[in-house]
Structure formats: C-alpha cells, structure tokens
C-alpha cells in the first residue's frame, strides 16, 4: 500500500470521526426540541449516507475505477438530510462566509475545464462543497470556544484552497507536490475534528 492510499484512508477516518461527533452532538441537543424524533431519524440516515458515500469515493480514488454517480449522490443526499432539520430548528444559518466559500469551491471547476480533467471532477466538486457545510457547522454552536472558531475558519479556508489545487493529484506520475497537496485536506480535517470534539465535550457538560 503506497503513501497515497494511506493518506486516503486517513482522510476517510478523519471525516468519519468528525461526522460521528457531529451526530453525537446533535443527538444530545435534539431531545430539547419538540417533535425532534423524526428529525433525529432523518439525520441519522443522512449521516450514514454521507459516511457510505465518502468511503466509496475514497476506495474509487485509490483503485482508479470509474466513478459511479451513486457515490456523490449518497453524500449530497445525506448532507441535505443533515442540514434541513438544522435549518428547521434554526441551528444552521447560511452566512456570508459560508456562501462565499461554497461559491469559490464551485468556481474551481472553471479552470479545470480548460485543461480537460476527467468528468468526475464535477460531482467531486459538489461533494467538497457539501463537506464544507459540515466543517463550518461548529461555528453556529454557542459552546464553541474562540480558539475553536479560529480553527474552524482556518479549516474551511484550507478546504477551499484544496478545491483549487487538486488538479495536481491527477498528474502521472505523482510528484512531491501531489503528496504535499494532500496535507492540505489532512490539516483541514484535523482542525475540524479537534473543534467538533471540543464542541461535543462542552455540550455534554452543559446539558
């Protein structure tokens, strides 16, 4: 197993940890809202869908197999199922920074159309934008410390930077730049995991 495979597995593990802690956090908060059982069930199904889609994409990325359109759809559908209940309960807001970063990620497709990258960059870009929503979610929690807010902001901007530089990952043979590039999402997810864990521990103590 080469370094790229190990980094892909590490990315999948970190994304899984962050998603799991967000789901634990929401399971602690939702009982304090009326009619939350249905919303909780929707979010649990959405979380499992995102998790399955992320790991499927990691495996496809390593094996270089053709991308099945179902995998990105699993992530996107799961994200909708996670976010909509939060919007309904006013626990999630589409602030200017989030909208700007999401647009920048989507705009990263335009330079790639010039160099004729594989078509799977299109669904992959929407997946990156969807994960951005999860990364920024801790910012809407009052239990997040000032340090945690700074870390989440850094993590989200690193995610945007990765969206614009990931073209180098499809180069053959892979260069040192390609390996260094993967450190950007690794750092982003590490900062996100740390912030989400802090949010979860603070919430558990207060409730």
């Amino acid at each position: 197993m080469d370094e790229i495979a190990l980094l892909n597995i590490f990315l999948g593990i970190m994304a899984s940890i962050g998603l799991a802690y967000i789901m634990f956090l929401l399971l602690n908060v939702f009982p304090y809202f009326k009619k939350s059982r249905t919303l909780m069930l929707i979010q649990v199904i959405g979380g499992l869908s995102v998790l399955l889609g992320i790991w499927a994409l990691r495996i496809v990325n390593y094996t270089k197999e053709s991308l099945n359109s179902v995998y990105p759809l699993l992530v996107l559908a799961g994200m909708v199922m996670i976010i909509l209940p939060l919007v309904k309960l006013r626990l999630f807001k589409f602030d200017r920074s989030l909208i700007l970063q999401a647009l920048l990620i989507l705009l990263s497709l335009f330079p790639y159309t010039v160099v004729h990258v594989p078509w799977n960059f299109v669904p992959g870009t929407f997946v990156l934008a969807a994960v951005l929503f999860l990364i920024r979610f801790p910012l809407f929690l009052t239990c997040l410390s000032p340090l945690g807010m700074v870390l989440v902001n850094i993590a989200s901007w690193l995610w945007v930077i990765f969206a614009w530089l990931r073209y180098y990952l499809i180069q053959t043979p892979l260069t040192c730049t390609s390996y260094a590039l993967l450190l950007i999402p690794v750092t982003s997810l590490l900062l996100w995991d740390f912030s989400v864990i802090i949010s979860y521990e603070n919430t558990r103590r207060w409730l």
Side-chain angles (χ1 to χ4, degrees), residues 163-183:
W164 280 83
L165 298 179
R166 61 202 166 102
Y167 163 70
Y168 293 100
L169 290 177
I170 65 172
Q171 290 184 336
T172 304
L174 292 175
T175 64
C176 292
T177 303
S178 304
Y179 289 98
L181 179 59
L182 277 176
L183 294 179

Side-chain angles (χ1 to χ4, degrees), residues 76-95:
L76 297 176
M79 285 299 306
V80 172
M81 297 174 74
I82 291 174
I83 291 174
L84 283 183
L86 298 177
V87 174
K88 183 178 179 62
L89 297 176
R90 298 180 181 179
L91 292 176
F92 192 93
K93 298 179 182 179
F94 293 90
D95 62 6

